Amino acid sequence: MKARRTPWWYYLVAGLLGLIGGAGLVRLTESSQLNVLGAPWFVSAMLVLIALVVLYMAWQVHLYVKGKRREMDAARAVNTLVLAKALGLAGAALFGWYGGQVLMSLSHAEAPFYAEIIKECLFGVGAALVDMVAGIVSERLCQLPPNQGPEHPRVKAARRRKSMAKAANKE
């Protein structure tokens, strides 16, 4: 299995879907008795904490890839990569979700209820942005160096040395 980098447009699609969902939620709240707008401050703090944990885990994988750490469980490295990808995409979707709520609530900003929702969602947007960036950076930190295929200069030089050693041993 070969892990590939997450394409940039995945983040765009996740953000747009979140934006549509967040805007739709504000419309639903305006037309019904349902009130699930905003994000508690605790949620924004947890989002930033999760970003820091994933960044730390990705840094440990990066140290192993660079040879500065002796041991690393392969399952842990793969799980860290999966967490980094999920964090980036979830951060993009939440960025759109909270951003959509902010955009749709701006017309009601003079009402105290909506003013508080806007503040909460702005903190959520910031935390989601931190998550998205941390996910992208963590994914990059988990990247393995490129394989040294048959055309790589080091491989060619090693092959040449090996054939010279065989020729010298025959004589």
Side-chain angles (χ1 to χ4, degrees):
M1 181 177 99
K2 184 174 182 179
R4 289 182 170 61
R5 297 280 314 246
T6 305
W8 64 269
W9 58 272
Y10 281 25
Y11 300 106
L12 182 65
V13 169
L16 288 174
L17 288 174
L19 183 74
I20 292 167
L25 185 67
V26 172
R27 288 284 183 212
L28 181 66
T29 300
E30 289 172 350
S31 65
S32 70
Q33 297 291 327
L34 184 64
N35 179 17
V36 289
L37 292 179
W41 306 106
F42 177 76
V43 171
S44 297
M46 290 306 297
L47 288 174
V48 172
L49 181 66
I50 290 169
L52 293 174
V53 168
V54 172
L55 269 173
Y56 175 76
M57 292 171 66
W59 182 250
Q60 296 300 311
V61 173
H62 182 71
L63 290 177
Y64 175 73
V65 167
K66 293 295 181 186
K68 296 179 181 177
R69 184 179 166 144
R70 294 183 193 263
E71 294 180 10
M72 171 69 67
D73 183 28
R76 180 177 175 197
V78 170
N79 289 339
T80 301
L81 176 62
V82 170
L83 277 173
K85 287 176 173 283
L87 182 68
L89 290 172
L94 288 172
F95 181 81
W97 179 263
Y98 295 132
Q101 289 184 43
V102 167
L103 290 176
M104 295 300 289
S105 298
L106 283 176
S107 62
H108 308 295
E110 65 278 351
F113 171 74
Y114 281 103
E116 185 65 26
I117 296 296
I118 291 170
K119 279 192 274 184
E120 289 176 4
C121 285
L122 284 175
F123 278 103
V125 164
L129 183 63
V130 167
D131 274 2
M132 184 174 65
V133 170
I136 293 169
V137 169
S138 296
E139 185 178 348
R140 175 86 171 138
L141 288 174
C142 291
Q143 184 175 347
L144 295 175
N147 288 340
Q148 295 180 358
E151 298 301 317
H152 194 277
R154 288 185 190 163
V155 175
K156 284 183 177 180
R159 194 177 322 129
R160 191 171 34 252
R161 282 193 305 272
K162 192 174 183 181
S163 65
M164 288 178 159
K166 282 183 182 179
N169 286 340
K170 285 184 180 180
E171 295 175 1

